[in-house]
Amino acid sequence: MQLLWAVSLVFNLMAFPRTGKVHAAEVPVTYSRQIAPVLYKNCASCHHTGGSAPFALTSYAEARRWGATLDSAVASRYMPPWLPEPGHGNFADSRRLSLDEIALIHHWVDSGMLEGDPAEAPPAPVYKGEWQLGPPDLVLEVDSPMQVPASGTDLFRNFILPLPLKESKWVRAMEIRPGSPRVVHHANLILDRSGSLRRGHPDDWKQGIPGMDVVVDAGEGFDPDGYFLDWKPDSSALVEPPGMAWRLDPGNDLILNMHLKPTGKPETVRARIGLYFTPDPPTKLPILVQLEHDAALDIPAGDANFVVEDSLKLPEAADLLAIYPHAHYLGKRLKGWAVLPSGGRKDLILIPDWDINRQSIYRYAEPVPLPAGTVIHMRYSYDNSAANPHNPNSPPIRVTAGNRSVDEMGHLWLQLLPHPAPDQAGDARGPILRAWMENVLTKNPSDPTALFNLASLHMAEAKTPADFAAAATLYRRALAARPNDARMMTALAAALLQSGDTEKAREELAAATAADPTYADALYNLALIEASANQLPEALKHLKATIALEPANVDAHRGLVAIYSAQGSLGDAVREQRTVVSLAPGQAGDWNDLGVMLARGGDSAGAAEAFDRALALDPGNSAARANLSRLQAASR
Amino acid sequence: MVPRISAFLRFAALFGSLLPGLPRTAVAATTRHEGTPLQLGDARAAVLFFIASDCPISNRTLPEMLRVEHAFASRGVRFFFVYPNSTETAATIRDHRAAFGIGPNVLTDPGQTLARLAAANTTPEAAVLIPQGKGLKPVYVGRIDDRYLNIGTERPSPTRHDLESAIAAVLAGRPVPPPGGPAVGCAFMTLPAK
């Protein structure tokens, strides 16, 4: 009897509602007439030979082989992978099958999987193994291939790809080729403007850094991330809308965050990224904004319905272009919606049964207009009970926020294109970033990143010494939360300097160089303060230290020129100025300065050549023209 | 609930008639499976693993099958890997064995005779057979472990090793616990209509 029990359990398979219509009595369902079109449209982009799916569905024989499995996979909506509930956001490229299509497949399998007349089948789609948009302008490859073991839990790894760029580029399209698509479950590409992850892992970055999520340092300047750059098994090349190319600068790294799934045998993964450039800079600058409340993520063991909420009020109108809900294995029901100033409600997304294995970025079929004053909400629920099969902890344990797969997260990322008011000055992304950071501080008043960003926004808009002093106060709060952070100390020094407190600025910079002797910006700024106080030997020492860290730092070389000139060391000054023009040969002013120095040293021919270079670059450069005339007059 | 009950009854009937039918020593000319003779020899039990070279869940579970084989091969249990789909060829099986490290005890069962006798219908699925009279009797048919709950739901790692428990029970002479849930994976390829 026990065996009978066992077998009956085998057939306790889910009874899925099948309410789609198939007019079976009228037409027999055949592969050629009804099934091939459904499979080619919805399945073949992954399920083709060489594709990311484990088997192909591009012929009658293949469809027949998989018929019974196909039937249950589409009935349970396991396939095609598509998590959002219809009616909560209208997304481009929805993969959800209609009930009629599901019923059609069921009927075909049930009635013996007839082929029908092959002449009736549409031509099978053809997929090329090459880059979908043709040869890329730049191909990057992960430094060392990763060995994925045959079995075990899923792996999350961040591969760092330094960019070999000499100048900034605009990227209009990108394709990620994961190397072994059956191992790679999804991938996100992150821009590391400052190379911070690589610098943080000097010894092991080539092997890839473990972790489901990464936080990178945005670097200097105001340039918030604005783009979702992702790959999943059914992804095609990612082409940005017109006017929305994204920028890459020399020194940037790309970080490929990959979710890898053991296949049963050892696999080797080595991803490549193809980039397509455009000469046209963007005309529209979107911004990514995050709703979250990770600090509140403290889920008791066994809690089957733990809720986290957040909301954010938009200070200006914006179009919502795409949305990315993210949780780990305990996430259950993920919901995002907007309450408009009119009081109306707009559902943005609902994922009733979250599954990280099928996470995705969802792009709206049409931009969703959100007026100024719209409040965006997220509400995520989590199941930390033993009944959640995805629970990484058995038995369940208390779970808090973190980037390991046994930790949890609750993020709702939005890609917004701001529509500033006609009289609004400055970067349109500023007010949204400010609202986001202020929202972070309402949840965690000492969040150092939010304080730092907010202070930097103050700095960008500051006009009076009092404004800079206000920025300095915010930097001090950030520093209190993250003491001895050389960059925050340097930023504080900049605010202090502009508020008029040179002495405090110098102290802060000296402390910054002590905290991190490899932070070049602190050394450089300290040298500037020393130079302006006429402390030339100290300034010289700190500029040399800057250049030891950053040999191509043109400003530091210019600083050396100034100090050598002031000290009367003309030979050293000329040598440094030659370095300046070799590093930045496009600046007419630098060539003019070189000409002046050479003329003073008696090298008339060299000076004339330098003035000529300056005038070739900038024919209207009056200083170079006057200098050249003077030189020619003197030589007559 | 109605389909569940009918399935129960249908298979009850099937087992009633077929249980003693599996020959103890093997590959009779009337069956269409090929490969290593399905012989127990001195062993106390045989385990059949139904697998498919093109089924991802079967492949992901192969390391666990090989682990179980390794754990019990020296304890009087013989293991056989059975390919039940007629789409498998000598080449697909050779490549598959090499890639996954599957040993020489391999059977093909394109007519699904063995599968029918053991009442297996999914890759991956296991059957534990013990001698009974001149034949072999299945005492466990079902999943290897509980990693997959259904085709779209996967645990990070299994919490219940059903097959391993069944084999241990057989060796200890205890009643064999049934699988705690359905075998999840790829349905066997449907045979052409006669």
Side-chain angles (χ1 to χ4, degrees):
Chain A
M1 275 315 284
Q2 64 195 33
L3 187 61
L4 299 182
W5 244 116
V7 174
S8 78
L9 277 169
V10 171
F11 284 85
N12 280 354
L13 290 173
M14 305 137 282
F16 298 105
R18 298 178 195 276
T19 50
K21 291 183 225 89
V22 180
H23 304 290
E26 298 153 30
V27 207
V29 178
T30 67
Y31 175 81
S32 302
R33 189 179 296 156
Q34 295 100 331
I35 300 303
V38 174
L39 299 187
Y40 293 173
K41 174 171 155 269
N42 299 288
C43 314
S45 66
C46 297
H47 287 272
H48 63 265
T49 305
S52 53
F55 49 85
L57 289 172
T58 50
S59 71
Y60 170 67
E62 289 157 353
R64 200 187 140 69
R65 153 72 181 98
W66 291 101
T69 307
L70 179 65
D71 183 21
S72 62
V74 299
S76 68
R77 293 202 180 277
Y78 171 58
M79 285 285 148
W82 186 257
L83 294 177
E85 185 78 357
H88 303 259
N90 178 23
F91 297 107
D93 308 320
S94 169
R95 297 206 159 264
R96 195 179 161 86
L97 292 184
S98 70
L99 286 172
D100 286 356
E101 287 167 322
I102 294 171
L104 204 55
I105 289 170
H106 176 66
H107 188 78
W108 177 66
V109 172
D110 221 32
S111 59
M113 297 189 273
L114 302 175
E115 180 172 19
D117 179 1
E120 283 184 333
V126 176
Y127 298 91
K128 295 191 190 117
E130 292 307 310
W131 301 98
Q132 292 171 33
L133 304 176
D137 297 313
L138 178 64
V139 176
L140 302 167
E141 187 170 31
V142 168
D143 199 84
S144 6
M146 176 174 173
Q147 310 300 324
V148 178
S151 62
T153 53
D154 293 7
L155 302 168
F156 296 86
R157 195 65 71 95
N158 298 286
F159 296 100
I160 301 174
L161 298 119
L163 282 164
L165 292 180
K166 296 262 190 306
E167 54 184 359
S168 295
K169 294 283 187 188
W170 302 105
V171 182
R172 66 175 174 84
M174 173 200 76
E175 183 176 350
I176 297 174
R177 294 186 67 87
S180 184
R182 289 174 195 179
V183 189
V184 182
H185 224 70
H186 78 268
N188 282 328
L189 193 69
I190 298 140
L191 295 185
D192 189 352
R193 293 282 182 206
S194 60
S196 57
L197 191 67
R198 179 162 47 95
R199 282 187 287 108
H201 296 81
D203 302 323
D204 56 351
W205 68 269
K206 288 187 177 181
Q207 281 73 53
I209 314 295
M212 285 181 105
D213 308 270
V214 282
V215 176
V216 298
D217 194 315
E220 313 301 329
F222 176 78
D223 187 27
D225 273 342
Y227 301 86
F228 288 127
L229 307 170
D230 64 313
W231 180 91
K232 60 190 169 62
D234 58 353
S235 286
S236 49
L238 197 59
V239 182
E240 296 299 337
M244 272 180 52
W246 44 277
R247 196 188 80 249
L248 285 176
D249 297 326
N252 292 174
D253 287 348
L254 297 180
I255 300 174
L256 190 60
N257 165 257
M258 291 179 111
H259 174 182
L260 304 151
K261 214 171 183 52
T263 63
K265 63 185 172 71
E267 303 271 3
T268 301
V269 178
R270 188 175 202 176
R272 285 186 300 157
I273 296 170
L275 298 172
Y276 299 84
F277 300 136
T278 170
D280 304 323
T283 52
K284 302 176 210 168
L285 293 174
I287 179 171
L288 299 185
V289 173
Q290 183 192 50
L291 275 71
E292 57 80 36
H293 199 174
D294 284 350
L297 265 175
D298 187 352
I299 317 176
D303 191 335
N305 191 29
F306 183 89
V307 174
V308 162
E309 293 180 297
D310 192 21
S311 62
L312 175 70
K313 187 172 185 175
L314 291 183
E316 60 186 339
D319 279 346
L320 175 62
L321 305 181
I323 195 162
Y324 174 41
H326 178 66
H328 293 177
Y329 288 99
L330 302 182
K332 189 164 73 170
R333 185 181 170 89
L334 277 49
K335 193 173 174 178
W337 72 97
V339 176
L340 307 181
S342 64
R345 177 188 162 121
K346 203 178 271 192
D347 281 4
L348 303 178
I349 193 159
L350 170 62
I351 294 182
D353 187 11
W354 169 251
D355 178 358
I356 191 175
N357 285 325
R358 278 172 277 171
Q359 72 167 303
S360 174
I361 284 150
Y362 300 100
R363 293 177 164 82
Y364 290 92
E366 298 290 335
V368 180
L370 300 173
T374 297
V375 181
I376 300 168
H377 294 264
M378 68 163 258
R379 184 178 199 276
Y380 287 10
S381 65
Y382 296 83
D383 181 355
N384 191 15
S385 72
N388 175 2
H390 301 298
N391 198 327
N393 302 299
S394 177
I397 58 169
R398 173 187 170 196
V399 169
T400 55
N403 83 342
R404 301 171 306 159
S405 58
V406 290
D407 304 322
E408 199 42 70
M409 284 215 166
H411 297 166
L412 181 67
W413 285 96
L414 310 164
Q415 186 187 33
L416 292 168
L417 184 62
H419 289 299
D423 57 344
Q424 188 178 318
D427 192 311
R429 297 169 297 174
I432 291 182
L433 183 66
R434 177 189 294 267
W436 173 17
M437 292 303 128
E438 286 171 346
N439 187 45
V440 172
L441 292 177
T442 62
K443 293 170 280 185
N444 178 8
S446 60
D447 184 285
T449 306
L451 288 165
F452 183 81
N453 285 341
L454 216 46
S456 302
L457 284 166
H458 268 74
M459 285 289 279
E461 290 162 14
K463 293 188 178 67
T464 66
D467 296 339
F468 287 108
T473 304
L474 283 167
Y475 281 128
R476 279 196 203 285
R477 281 175 61 194
L479 259 173
R482 195 182 287 165
N484 280 321
D485 182 302
R487 188 151 64 103
M488 285 189 183
M489 294 160 109
T490 305
L492 169 60
L496 289 169
L497 189 63
Q498 288 183 273
S499 74
D501 196 341
T502 310
E503 210 36 54
K504 280 259 164 45
R506 182 212 295 267
E507 283 169 22
E508 206 58 51
L509 288 169
T513 59
D516 181 1
T518 67
Y519 189 58
D521 284 14
L523 290 161
Y524 175 72
N525 286 330
L526 185 56
L528 287 194
I529 290 181
E530 288 160 346
S532 58
N534 212 27
Q535 296 165 331
L536 299 188
E538 290 84 352
L540 191 63
K541 178 179 131 196
H542 289 129
L543 282 177
K544 283 182 173 170
T546 305
I547 289 168
L549 292 165
E550 293 180 350
N553 186 328
V554 182
D555 287 332
H557 287 286
R558 288 195 183 107
L560 280 185
V561 172
I563 290 172
Y564 286 134
S565 301
Q567 289 177 328
S569 309
L570 192 57
D572 290 333
V574 168
R575 189 191 67 235
E576 285 304 322
Q577 188 64 22
R578 286 197 192 280
T579 308
V580 169
V581 296
S582 73
L583 287 169
Q587 299 293 320
D590 288 328
W591 286 103
N592 178 57
D593 291 348
L594 178 63
V596 172
M597 289 182 214
L598 292 172
R600 280 185 188 150
D603 180 0
S604 301
E609 199 185 320
F611 293 139
D612 283 341
R613 285 292 293 269
L615 289 168
L617 286 165
D618 176 15
N621 189 309
S622 52
R625 192 161 298 283
N627 285 329
L628 187 59
S629 304
R630 218 171 292 151
L631 188 71
Q632 286 162 343
S635 66
R636 275 191 211 112
Chain B
M1 294 308 285
V2 174
R4 219 193 264 189
I5 291 164
S6 69
F8 183 96
L9 292 177
R10 189 152 60 87
F11 279 87
L14 186 73
F15 270 93
S17 63
L18 288 183
L19 254 181
L22 200 59
R24 182 167 181 172
T25 52
V27 191
T30 51
T31 60
R32 286 175 52 209
H33 50 259
E34 297 163 2
T36 310
L38 177 54
Q39 288 178 328
L40 262 190
D42 298 336
R44 298 169 61 192
V47 173
L48 309 183
F49 285 123
F50 293 93
I51 60 173
S53 65
D54 51 4
C55 171
I57 295 182
S58 174
N59 285 337
R60 286 199 190 115
T61 311
L62 261 164
E64 175 63 10
M65 297 184 227
L66 295 171
R67 188 190 68 78
V68 174
E69 180 188 22
H70 186 74
F72 289 99
S74 60
R75 296 171 59 189
V77 184
R78 285 200 77 184
F79 289 81
F80 299 87
F81 290 84
V82 184
Y83 292 88
N85 292 320
S86 61
T87 41
E88 304 282 6
T89 66
T92 63
I93 291 174
R94 184 192 60 228
D95 294 348
H96 190 241
R97 284 182 52 204
F100 289 84
I102 299 166
N105 285 358
V106 165
L107 295 159
T108 62
D109 187 23
Q112 295 173 5
T113 323
L114 275 175
R116 248 195 326 279
L117 293 175
N121 56 21
T122 301
T123 62
E125 193 168 1
V128 182
L129 313 174
I130 60 167
Q132 186 186 61
K134 291 184 174 176
L136 290 169
K137 171 177 84 161
V139 289
Y140 176 93
V141 181
R143 68 185 187 183
I144 287 125
D145 60 35
D146 70 345
R147 178 151 193 183
Y148 293 86
L149 271 81
N150 57 55
I151 200 167
T153 312
E154 177 191 353
R155 297 181 198 279
S157 52
T159 61
R160 228 183 108 122
H161 296 270
D162 302 68
L163 172 65
E164 201 173 354
S165 305
I167 299 171
V170 166
L171 294 181
R174 284 188 273 109
V176 178
V184 175
C186 311
F188 290 175
M189 189 186 168
T190 311
L191 293 173
K194 296 249 165 66

